[in-house]
């Protein structure tokens, strides 16, 4: 039967029933325990009130481009002293002009005195392995591009949370960002341009419920299967959209939203998604809806800046010249790898060393970071996920212990999420320092699962960025080695969320109070345990079933 013949309700019912039949039970004689939350989730996988559906997070699998360009043919020299950035960028540009290709970096050390830019789709920058190919970066983004102030005022450096010495972003978008920075017209960084005005409506969408895969539109004439569109939701004067992101009910209704100027600047909520099928006015999406679509939020599909898709970086180490870590929020921009306005892109087997900020997702969606490591003298943000980044997967990641003591007035965060970012997953992590950082800005429906963490970082975020958490945050099978509770045990902080399979922790150092009053409707199961929760990894359990049934 064709996929387009299912309604959103029948599809959800069918897949929910299939999931319920496939609950993984622990093997006989094991000590695993299946929490009631998992059993509930399998009955309502797309609409569960505490656990988000994240089985579709991450990039699709793409074959490597068959065209291979060796950077040595463009003048790069692996001697550690010759500036090879121009040659590497020429090879990347040539691959882009040819419609895609693999840009090969052989073993050795390539000095780079400029940003390495991947600006075309289907271009893979590939080294010989993170232990064999090194890019040695000698300059920071302040030197290369200029001072980057904050659009919210003050003397902060936006290189503290933006930009990378390997920067994956569509060429036109990167050019416009750099032009704005050099003109000191501090830009928005997302899918609709520096002033958030580079879009046009494709069609209004009729009301629908969170978790639906199919929606009905007013006019489908501009929609095609395979096209990436932007779902755009505006808030109303009562801030009911923000309340919905927080789970709704008395607590979010009583919260005072109007003075949270930074948070309000993040709205409208913009969610990129590919169209899977179009039949008359029914449109089936690649992923289920992240939120309800209500008339008061003017739901619509719109255009956006051209995306970067199918591109990636793999098999190399980016090492910055070792300099002292700068005071908090004054980073110079010795940053690692950033994906921006990227959809369905990858980073695999990449280490960054001696960086201010490690790996960044900025208005990036459906991307995968796998086998990544942050090492060296210590970072401000080892990982940051901001500016409305959604549906990304960070797995098999490591944050190593710093090699030098932290200078005074510096800050360590960890795996960061902020700015209405949603449905992102951190899986199978080894965090030897840092924390599960929320920078406020009402991130929601994010998952951390199967992670060991020495919880010694602190979260950040301005008060005017609003709540630390929205609804449907889940921490599942988390091993805290130093027993610190902060941002690990979230049943008394995050509304409509879940903490499952966490060892006993104690509050000390940074202690937060909930943003919302009253019953948070948050759940706590298998507390005081490690490694007994089944399934062990929440993302993998969901993904297994998603992969088997995604084409129904």
């Amino acid at each position: 039967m064709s996929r387009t013949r299912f309604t959103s309700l029948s599809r959800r019912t069918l897949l929910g029933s299939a999931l319920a039949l496939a609950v993984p039970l622990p093997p006989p004689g094991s000590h695993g325990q299946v929490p009631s939350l998992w059993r509930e989730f399998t009955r309502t996988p797309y609409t569960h009130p505490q656990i988000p559906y994240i089985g579709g997070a991450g990039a699709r699998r793409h074959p490597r481009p068959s065209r291979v360009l060796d950077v040595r043919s463009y003048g790069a020299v692996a001697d550690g002293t010759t500036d090879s950035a121009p040659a590497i960028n020429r090879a990347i540009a040539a691959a882009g002009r040819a419609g895609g290709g693999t840009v090969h970096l052989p073993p050795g050390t390539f000095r780079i005195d400029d940003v390495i830019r991947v600006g075309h789709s289907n271009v893979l920058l590939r080294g010989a392995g993170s232990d064999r190919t090194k890019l040695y970066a000698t300059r920071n983004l302040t030197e290369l591009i200029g001072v980057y102030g904050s659009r919210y005022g003050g003397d902060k450096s936006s290189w503290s949370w933006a930009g990378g010495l390997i920067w994956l972003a569509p060429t036109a978008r990167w050019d416009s960002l750099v032009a704005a920075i050099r003109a000191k017209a501090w830009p928005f960084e997302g899918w609709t341009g520096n002033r958030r005005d580079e879009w046009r409506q494709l069609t209004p969408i009729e009301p629908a419920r969170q978790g639906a895969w199919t929606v009905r539109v007013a006019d489908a004439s501009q929609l095609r299967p395979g096209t990436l569109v932007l779902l755009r939701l505006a808030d109303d004067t009562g801030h009911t959209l923000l309340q919905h992101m927080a789970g709704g009910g008395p607590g979010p209704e009583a919260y005072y939203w109007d003075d949270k100027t930074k948070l309000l600047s993040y709205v409208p909520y913009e969610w990129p998604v590919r169209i899977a099928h179009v039949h008359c006015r029914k449109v089936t999406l690649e992923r289920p809806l992240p939120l309800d679509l209500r008339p008061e939020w003017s739901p619509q599909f719109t255009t956006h800046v051209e995306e970067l898709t199918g591109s990636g970086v793999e098999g190399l180490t980016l090492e910055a010249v070792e300099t002292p870590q700068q005071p908090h929020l004054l980073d110079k921009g010795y940053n690692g790898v950033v994906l921006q306005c990227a959809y369905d892109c990858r980073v695999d087997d990449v280490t960054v060393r001696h960086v201010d900020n490690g790996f960044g997702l900025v208005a990036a969606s459906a991307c995968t970071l796998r086998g990544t490591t942050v090492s060296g003298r210590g970072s401000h943000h080892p990982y940051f996920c901001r500016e409305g980044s959604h549906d990304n997967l960070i797995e098999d990641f490591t944050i190593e212990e710093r090699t030098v003591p932290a200078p005074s007035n510096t800050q360590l965060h960890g795996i960061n999420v902020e700015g209405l970012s949603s449905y992102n997953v951190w899986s199978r992590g080894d965090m030897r320092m840092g924390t599960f950082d929320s920078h406020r800005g009402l991130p929601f429906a994010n998952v951390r699962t199967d992670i060991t963490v020495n919880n010694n970082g602190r979260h950040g975020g301005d008060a005017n960025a609003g709540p630390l958490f929205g609804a449907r945050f889940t921490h599942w099978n988390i091993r805290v080695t130093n027993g610190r509770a902060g941002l690990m045990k979230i049943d008394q902080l995050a509304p409509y969320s879940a903490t499952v399979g966490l060892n006993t922790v104690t509050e000390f150092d940074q202690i937060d109070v909930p943003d919302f009053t009253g019953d948070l409707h948050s759940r706590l199961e298998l507390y005081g345990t490690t490694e007994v929760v089944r399934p062990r990894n929440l993302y993998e359990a969901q993904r297994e079933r998603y992969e088997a049934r995604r084409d129904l």
Side-chain angles (χ1 to χ4, degrees):
M1 182 179 291
S2 170
R3 185 177 182 178
T4 57
R5 293 181 61 185
F6 290 108
T7 65
S8 59
L9 177 61
S10 63
R11 178 191 177 93
R12 188 164 58 244
T13 302
L14 174 64
L15 293 183
S17 298
L19 283 171
L21 292 172
V23 178
L25 296 175
S30 76
H31 299 289
Q33 299 180 50
V34 179
S36 59
L37 272 164
W38 174 253
R39 298 183 187 276
E40 293 171 10
F41 172 82
T42 60
R43 292 192 290 270
T44 58
Y46 309 117
T47 58
H48 193 275
Q50 279 87 19
I51 297 178
Y53 178 74
I54 40 82
R60 291 180 178 267
R61 295 182 178 89
H62 292 280
R64 287 180 176 174
S66 59
R67 182 182 295 105
V68 178
L69 298 83
D70 192 312
V71 296
R72 292 172 296 187
S73 300
Y74 293 82
V77 182
D79 60 1
T81 58
T82 303
D83 177 18
S84 292
I88 295 170
N89 282 326
R90 283 195 296 271
I92 292 171
R97 288 193 299 271
T102 296
V103 176
H104 176 59
L105 290 158
T109 297
F110 296 86
R111 171 174 167 163
I112 57 170
D113 296 345
D114 200 356
V115 178
I116 301 301
R117 305 183 301 278
V118 178
H120 292 87
S121 294
N122 303 311
V123 173
L124 175 64
L125 180 64
R126 186 181 74 198
S130 59
D131 59 343
R132 301 182 67 201
T133 299
K134 180 192 294 185
L135 300 181
Y136 180 64
T138 63
R139 304 176 72 189
N140 58 56
L141 293 169
T142 300
E143 296 173 293
L144 295 170
I145 295 175
V147 172
Y148 188 3
S150 170
R151 65 180 185 247
Y152 301 105
D155 59 357
K156 301 172 184 177
S157 167
S158 285
W159 298 128
S160 301
W161 56 78
L165 292 170
I166 300 178
W167 199 330
L168 288 79
T171 295
R173 188 72 185 99
W174 193 86
D175 289 344
S176 70
L177 286 165
V178 169
I181 293 166
R182 288 175 173 163
K184 301 188 185 308
W186 315 131
F188 284 92
E189 299 160 275
W191 285 101
T192 49
N194 294 342
R195 295 185 300 273
R196 297 193 79 175
D197 60 356
E198 296 177 38
W199 63 277
R200 62 179 176 81
Q201 185 186 78
L202 295 173
T203 180
I205 312 171
E206 294 185 3
R209 298 297 301 273
Q210 172 204 324
W213 293 72
T214 298
V215 296
R216 184 182 291 271
V217 300
D219 178 7
S221 62
Q222 299 185 75
L223 306 179
R224 299 289 184 274
T227 301
L228 186 71
V229 297
L230 207 63
L231 169 66
R232 184 179 174 92
L233 296 177
D235 204 2
D236 58 13
T237 57
H239 302 300
T240 59
L241 175 61
L242 296 176
Q243 293 175 30
H244 178 53
M245 293 175 181
E253 288 173 5
Y255 185 81
Y256 190 70
W257 302 93
D258 285 330
D259 63 347
K260 309 302 187 295
T261 53
K262 183 178 284 190
L263 173 63
L264 297 179
S265 76
Y266 299 150
V267 182
Y269 176 78
E270 295 171 336
W271 183 65
V273 64
R274 286 205 190 280
I275 293 173
H277 297 279
V278 179
H279 181 68
C280 297
R281 292 196 296 123
K282 289 184 178 180
V283 179
T284 302
L285 307 176
E286 186 179 47
R287 290 174 168 81
L289 287 177
L291 294 164
D292 289 353
L293 307 185
R294 301 180 187 173
E296 55 266 34
W297 304 332
S298 302
Q300 55 187 308
F301 287 137
T302 75
T303 62
H304 49 80
V305 300
E306 183 180 1
E307 72 271 17
L308 184 75
T309 189
S311 293
V313 180
E314 67 177 43
L316 59 83
T317 288
L318 171 67
E319 180 176 319
V321 58
E322 187 170 359
T323 59
Q325 188 177 349
Q326 293 296 302
H328 190 219
L329 300 177
L330 297 178
D331 296 352
K332 297 294 187 181
Y334 288 108
N335 295 347
V337 182
V338 165
L339 290 81
Q340 185 161 6
C341 295
Y343 191 94
D344 199 2
C345 292
R346 291 179 177 273
V347 178
D348 194 359
D349 182 29
V350 172
T351 294
V352 296
R353 183 175 295 125
H354 303 322
V355 293
D356 294 335
N357 301 280
F359 294 90
L361 296 159
V362 182
S365 293
C367 295
T368 294
L369 279 61
R370 179 178 293 114
T372 55
T373 299
V374 180
S375 67
R377 51 87 158 156
S379 302
H380 178 196
H381 295 98
Y383 292 82
F384 56 96
C385 179
R386 52 178 293 270
E387 203 80 9
S389 290
H390 315 290
D391 303 300
N392 297 294
L393 171 65
I394 302 95
E395 66 179 355
D396 297 315
F397 66 95
T398 301
I399 302 174
E400 294 185 353
E401 294 182 31
R402 63 190 312 136
T403 55
V404 297
S408 61
N409 300 318
T410 61
Q411 188 65 272
L412 165 66
H413 297 305
I415 51 175
N416 155 269
V417 61
E418 60 182 285
L420 303 186
S421 295
S422 63
Y423 294 88
N424 300 290
V425 181
W426 290 260
S427 170
R428 295 199 307 263
D430 180 7
M431 296 176 59
R432 301 167 198 172
M433 64 179 190
T435 194
F436 291 178
D437 172 40
S438 167
H439 254 50
R440 300 191 176 273
L442 199 66
F444 66 94
N446 297 285
V447 168
R448 287 85 172 242
T449 182
D450 195 9
I451 298 171
T452 300
V453 53
N454 177 30
N455 186 27
N456 61 359
R458 298 169 66 87
H459 77 72
D462 295 336
N464 65 0
L468 278 169
F469 301 101
R472 298 187 304 287
F473 257 81
T474 300
H475 291 174
W476 187 284
N477 191 17
I478 306 299
R479 304 166 291 277
V480 183
T481 60
N482 63 344
R484 177 176 177 262
L487 300 184
M488 302 289 128
K489 184 175 179 289
I490 56 174
D491 57 298
Q492 297 181 32
L493 282 176
Y496 287 94
S497 293
T499 306
V500 181
L502 172 73
N503 58 290
T504 302
V505 290
T506 304
E507 291 284 5
F508 61 93
D509 194 20
Q510 188 175 38
I511 300 174
D512 290 294
V513 297
D515 293 293
F516 304 110
T517 58
D519 186 355
L520 296 181
H521 301 281
S522 205
R523 303 273 293 275
L524 179 68
E525 283 198 65
L526 298 181
Y527 177 58
T529 67
T530 56
E531 300 292 4
V532 303
V533 59
R534 297 294 184 272
R536 186 179 193 272
N537 186 296
L538 182 62
Y539 163 74
E540 290 175 0
Q542 292 193 23
R543 182 71 173 190
E544 179 182 345
R545 289 150 187 79
Y546 177 79
E547 285 285 1
R549 298 167 177 85
R550 67 191 300 172
D551 292 324
L552 284 176

